[in-house]
Amino acid sequence: MTHTVAEIEIDRKTDALVGEWLTLPEAGERLGLDLKRVKQLLRDHKLLGVQRESGLSVPAAFIQDGQPLKGLQGTLTVLADAGYGRAEALRWLFTADDSLPGTPVQALAEHRVKEINRRAQALAL
């Protein structure tokens, strides 16, 4: 992941999978943080943002109860280690999997972090 967040763009299918997006100022409002701190969360890979028509945006599902989604940072690291780029990671996180059921991001929201990270690690094999 050598690109800056602003250089990453996604295709329409991935954009649609994610559904609700937040601009950085909107993400800041939900997190109770200023824009500088939101950008730091992106740099620290605690959140994942992509460039969209409306500007740099974060999936709304990545913020839960006023905090970055618990386990997201570790899952993003595992996916990166498996060779997934940011757009690929988003597609994986938001693609329904009948064996879960639901999507990996829903499973993270349900505190099933270990299960999702095991699945992400298996991608590298």
Side-chain angles (χ1 to χ4, degrees), residues 15 24-25 30-31 39 60 63-64 68-69 95 105 108 116-117:
D15 191 296
L24 294 191
R30 290 209 184 169
L31 293 165
K39 288 180 179 179
I63 299 173
Q64 185 178 45
L69 187 61
T95 297
V105 76
L108 287 175
I116 295 307
N117 285 345

Side-chain angles (χ1 to χ4, degrees), residues 30-79:
R30 290 209 184 169
L31 293 165
L33 301 172
D34 63 24
L35 188 59
K36 182 178 177 181
R37 186 72 182 110
V38 174
K39 288 180 179 179
Q40 185 63 47
L41 291 174
L42 291 168
R43 282 190 296 274
D44 292 344
H45 305 290
K46 293 181 180 180
L47 289 176
L48 176 70
V50 296
Q51 189 66 36
R52 298 179 64 240
E53 289 179 16
S54 59
L56 192 55
S57 301
V58 173
F62 287 173
I63 299 173
Q64 185 178 45
D65 301 325
Q67 298 291 320
L69 187 61
K70 185 174 179 154
L72 179 63
Q73 181 179 18
T75 301
L76 291 174
T77 299
V78 171
L79 289 170

Side-chain angles (χ1 to χ4, degrees), residues 79-114:
L79 289 170
D81 290 348
Y84 277 50
R86 292 171 193 262
E88 295 164 319
L90 279 175
R91 276 192 296 277
W92 186 79
L93 285 164
F94 285 91
T95 297
D97 182 339
D98 291 338
S99 69
L100 281 174
T103 65
V105 76
Q106 288 169 329
L108 287 175
E110 295 167 357
H111 309 290
R112 296 188 289 157
V113 176
K114 288 182 182 179

Side-chain angles (χ1 to χ4, degrees), residues 8-16 18 21 50-52 86-88 90-91:
I8 306 301
E9 294 187 23
I10 57 170
D11 58 83
R12 289 186 179 168
K13 183 178 178 184
T14 304
D15 191 296
V18 171
W21 290 91
V50 296
Q51 189 66 36
R52 298 179 64 240
R86 292 171 193 262
E88 295 164 319
L90 279 175
R91 276 192 296 277

